[in-house]
């Protein structure tokens, strides 16, 4: 098993995530959305999203998690 496989398979289920882990996830997501809002149009084009998509994502609150984050593996 590679390190990536171990990381994916050892990911805790949503019910086992502690309050502090969840809080850290919210803070990390908030920072990432803030950084996304600062990218130039050329940088956004490089990652394959439009300025409108970036603005909508950056405006979401930290507790509004992406759908794929809540899927259990």
């Amino acid at each position: 098993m590679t390190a990536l496989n171990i990381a994916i398979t050892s990911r805790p289920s949503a019910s086992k995530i502690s309050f502090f882990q969840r809080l850290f996830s919210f803070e990390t997501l908030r920072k990432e959305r803030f950084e996304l809002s600062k990218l130039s149009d050329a940088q956004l084009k490089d990652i394959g999203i439009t300025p409108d998509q970036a603005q909508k994502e950056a405006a979401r609150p930290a507790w509004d998690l992406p759908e794929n984050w809540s899927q259990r593996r």
Side-chain angles (χ1 to χ4, degrees):
M1 233 182 210
T2 66
L4 180 59
N5 288 340
I6 293 169
I8 291 172
T9 58
S10 64
R11 181 178 166 198
S13 68
S15 62
K16 293 182 182 178
I17 295 175
S18 75
F19 170 77
F20 294 107
Q21 289 170 318
R22 193 172 301 270
L23 188 61
F24 180 74
S25 294
F26 291 159
E27 179 62 14
T28 300
L29 185 57
R30 185 194 64 79
K31 287 178 183 178
E32 289 175 359
R33 286 180 174 156
F34 176 74
E35 292 299 322
L36 180 66
S37 72
K38 296 186 335 183
L39 295 178
S40 70
D41 289 351
Q43 291 170 317
L44 293 171
K45 185 177 180 181
D46 283 346
I47 61 173
I49 61 173
T50 66
D52 187 50
Q53 289 171 319
Q55 182 181 17
K56 285 179 183 177
E57 182 64 29
R60 292 171 63 179
W63 57 85
D64 187 5
L65 301 176
E67 278 186 35
N68 63 339
W69 281 28
S70 62
Q71 295 174 352
R72 290 188 177 185
R73 297 195 187 256

